[in-house]
Amino acid sequence: MAKVLVAYASLTGNTEEIAELIVEGIRQAGGEAVLKSVTDCNADEIKAYEGVLLGAYTWGDGELPDEFLDFYEEMDELDLTACKAAAFGSGDTGYEIYCGAVNQIEEKLRERGAEIVQESLKIEYGPNAAEKETCRSFGRQFIETCAAVS
Ligand code: FMN
């Protein structure tokens, strides 16, 4: 079964909760997931996995959080053509650019050659009861796609 890295940045815990639920979904579907804060890993680590799910909250005017920037720049050194990927994160629809960081992460993954296998997951603040299941399902769907092609 495919092994997936789930790496995230979260200031107040919303994106962290989403990441944990995604990991739950991956494990429910029999997949293997490693969950890490983006500050505790180097982008180079992605190469050890068949799939990667990257998540962040959005900061400023639709920007990536500062703690994601090192990882984001390290990604420029990577060839991710063998990697399945998708992005997720939390935002607030009251801002002009909703979940802009999620869009930037997805774009960077695509630019480095990763195959974006599913639409990004955007949740406003923390997940409510229905959205918790959406997060788990996002993880299940991802691992099923990885397993189907690996
Ligand atoms: N959310 C957006 O969707 N777009 C933004 O441009 C945006 N800018 C923000 C700027 C500031 C100063 C703050 C405090 C929040 C902003 N947010 C924006 C909302 C956060 O992304 C949102 O509260 C998110 O749930 C925080 O996630 P976390 O708990 O993982 O840190």
Side-chain angles (χ1 to χ4, degrees), residues 3-9 15-24 26-27 32-38 41 46 49 51-55 68 71 86 88 138-139 142-143:
K3 192 172 165 189
V4 174
L5 174 66
V6 182
Y8 66 91
T15 311
E16 183 176 26
E17 187 180 3
I18 296 165
E20 287 168 352
L21 290 159
I22 290 171
V23 166
E24 253 182 64
I26 291 171
R27 292 179 181 155
E32 202 181 323
V34 173
L35 177 64
K36 284 192 173 187
S37 161
V38 83
C41 60
I46 298 175
Y49 298 84
V52 64
L53 293 169
L54 299 180
F68 208 103
F71 190 94
F88 65 92
F138 184 83
F142 186 75
I143 203 72

